[in-house]
Amino acid sequence: MATQYGITGGTAREISASVERAVSGGELTPGAALPPVRGLAERLGVSAGTVAAAYKELRVRGVVVTQGRGGTTVARAPAVGARRPPRVPEGVRDLAGGHPDPEFLPVLVPPEGVAPVHGSHRAAPRLPELATLSLEWFRADGVPAEEVTFAHGALDCVARLLSVELRPGDSVAVEDPGFHHLLDLVGALGLRAVPVAVDDKGLSPGALRTALSGGARAVLCSPRAQNPYGGCFSAQRRDELLAVLADFPAVLVIEDDHNADVSGAPSYPLAGGGPPRWAQVRTVSKHLGVDLRWAALACDPTTLARHDGRMLLTSGWVSHVLQETVARLFTDAATRALVRSAQDAYRVRRAALGEALRERGIVSHFASGMNVWVPVRDESAVVNGLRSHGWWVAAGARFRVASPPAVRITVADLKPADGLRLASDFAGVLGESETTYGG
């Protein structure tokens, strides 16, 4: 049903401004349907072309989305309120954050004596040393990088890629369950998230084909350490996904290999394996420090040019002070040893909790990364039950679109002995709160 708000105006600009005022003032709420083009044109005494032009302007600006026969509706705001994690209660062990163990993070030492810049770095935005190191980083894992560029973190990079490739109302295939910030980002850009089921080997080929057949113009996925499920591509799954993508050559494939160096899984990237349009973004926050807001991007030439063209119009470049800090860490032997220790520790801690849960009849997923995903019947009952035992885990709701309930447990700093105790408490909570465990 179309909203009863009285849209006014005699020109396309006036009509679009009327709608936008109503959206800003709350008279038109996210999801509210706008009148059909011809109906509104008749009421306002203007041509259907004038209303269509107004709606087009609103779509381009991300105010509304058009969904075929579903009509035109006000774009849904990002679900920040719904997906923002609740405050961690006092006196409990926080296993909900998804953060690395500080014990395995190096001390950040910025370069000394940074000379003043004459003008700007727009003409040379990337330090040659870090560009070379980044190329080697990608190529070592089978990504055929010929050139790299930088961004201010993975979300910054993905937002720029999507904004230059897609328009409000377009569809994006996303992992379900998936990284909650990416799910929010897709909505914030006025795009429609099409959920694709995942398992221990990542994206489901059949579900991906369904999403692409339905019109999705881009795919967002993680080749390993998928957050929150932990899935990682096998060689066979990679090939199955590439076979699906071969039928949709215009689709942009974006891989977020955010956990590359501490994932505990081999690399089987989609990037460069067949899709004409591809991108892989990598960050260092999980293994070098969360305050290093830097990402490296390898992609096809067209995607790189579009990304950099937009970046030149906005932030211009990533701080060279930051770039030099990252480059020093890349080449520091002690830091590399620390990263290897982190990967080994996370593998042991994942397995310790996962196996302890399995021994108690509880199914969980922990193929790679630093989280364990545990399907449950009632997320709230499990979260609150574990809280009473001194544990704080993440309810799966903020990671899910259509997938079943679960909880996510970050094991980065959960020692094996603590994992055994958590598994026992988990089993006790399930016995108290669920008559039948549906894991």
Side-chain angles (χ1 to χ4, degrees):
M1 176 185 293
T3 179
Q4 296 301 306
Y5 171 78
I7 299 172
T8 61
T11 66
R13 178 167 296 182
E14 291 172 350
I15 295 169
S16 64
S18 173
V19 172
E20 193 161 2
R21 283 195 301 271
V23 172
S24 300
E27 290 92 348
L28 286 175
T29 57
L34 300 189
V37 169
R38 293 190 180 279
L40 181 58
E42 291 178 4
R43 184 167 68 77
L44 297 178
V46 299
S47 70
T50 297
V51 175
Y55 281 12
K56 180 179 179 180
E57 181 179 346
L58 290 166
R59 284 197 302 273
V60 170
R61 298 179 64 182
V63 179
V64 303
V65 295
T66 298
Q67 302 177 5
R69 295 183 179 180
T72 299
T73 60
V74 176
R76 295 192 178 277
V80 174
R83 297 188 190 273
R84 181 176 297 159
R87 185 185 300 275
V88 180
E90 293 184 5
V92 297
R93 177 81 176 273
D94 182 11
L95 303 176
H99 304 304
D101 186 346
E103 178 183 347
F104 297 110
L105 298 178
V107 174
L108 303 183
V109 182
E112 298 179 0
V114 179
V117 177
H118 178 70
S120 78
H121 286 307
R122 289 183 186 274
R126 293 176 291 280
L127 288 180
E129 179 187 7
L130 186 55
T132 298
L133 291 169
S134 300
L135 281 169
E136 295 171 352
W137 191 26
F138 282 110
R139 290 170 178 170
D141 281 330
V143 179
E146 297 297 330
E147 189 175 356
V148 293
T149 189
F150 302 152
H152 299 90
L155 290 170
D156 173 67
C157 184
V158 172
R160 195 171 294 109
L161 290 173
L162 292 177
S163 66
V164 298
E165 293 289 339
L166 280 68
R167 294 293 178 266
D170 287 344
S171 300
V172 181
V174 298
E175 297 167 324
D176 183 23
F179 183 38
H180 57 101
H181 287 311
L182 277 178
L183 297 177
D184 288 344
L185 176 61
V186 169
L189 293 174
L191 306 172
R192 293 195 304 120
V194 181
V196 177
V198 299
D199 58 24
D200 289 330
K201 296 181 181 178
L203 290 172
S204 161
L208 177 61
R209 180 174 292 280
T210 298
L212 298 181
S213 297
R217 295 187 55 200
V219 179
L220 293 177
C221 63
S222 296
R224 49 187 170 177
Q226 193 274 345
N227 187 1
Y229 204 96
C232 52
F233 292 165
S234 64
Q236 179 179 347
R237 176 60 58 86
R238 184 266 319 273
D239 292 345
E240 292 170 346
L241 293 171
L242 288 176
V244 173
L245 291 167
D247 294 334
F248 302 90
V251 168
L252 174 62
V253 179
I254 304 174
E255 293 184 288
D256 178 10
D257 198 6
H258 63 284
N259 223 328
D261 286 30
V262 291
S263 67
S267 173
Y268 295 106
L270 300 174
R277 301 298 312 284
W278 62 273
Q280 186 178 107
V281 57
R282 291 186 173 191
T283 56
V284 295
S285 60
K286 297 299 186 185
H287 68 279
L288 296 183
V290 296
D291 200 38
L292 291 173
R293 310 312 299 164
W294 174 85
L297 172 67
C299 52
D300 67 86
T302 298
T303 301
L304 188 144
R306 291 178 179 177
H307 174 277
D308 282 6
R310 177 62 60 87
M311 190 163 187
L312 285 172
L313 295 174
T314 53
S315 59
W317 68 91
V318 175
S319 162
H320 279 208
V321 176
L322 175 59
Q323 290 188 45
E324 189 169 337
T325 302
V326 174
R328 289 186 178 190
L329 291 170
F330 268 20
T331 56
D332 179 65
T335 297
R336 293 199 300 270
L338 196 61
V339 171
R340 289 193 296 270
S341 297
Q343 178 167 245
D344 292 341
Y346 297 156
R347 181 186 293 110
V348 169
R349 294 170 186 182
R350 275 196 321 272
L353 178 59
E355 294 298 336
L357 290 170
R358 182 178 301 167
E359 290 173 359
R360 291 158 178 78
I362 302 171
V363 174
S364 64
H365 303 277
F366 53 97
S368 60
M370 55 181 63
N371 299 300
V372 173
W373 183 251
V374 190
V376 297
R377 290 186 61 197
D378 188 331
E379 293 179 1
S380 296
V382 171
V383 170
N384 291 324
L386 288 175
R387 176 183 177 181
S388 69
H389 289 274
W391 307 103
W392 186 246
V393 302
R398 74 178 191 269
F399 305 97
R400 300 187 291 107
V401 180
S403 55
V407 296
R408 190 193 72 173
I409 304 172
T410 299
V411 298
D413 64 351
L414 185 70
K415 303 291 178 59
D418 292 334
L420 291 174
R421 184 164 60 87
L422 172 58
S424 294
D425 290 340
F426 204 119
V429 167
L430 290 180
E432 295 168 1
S433 64
E434 301 181 352
T435 56
T436 302
Y437 177 59

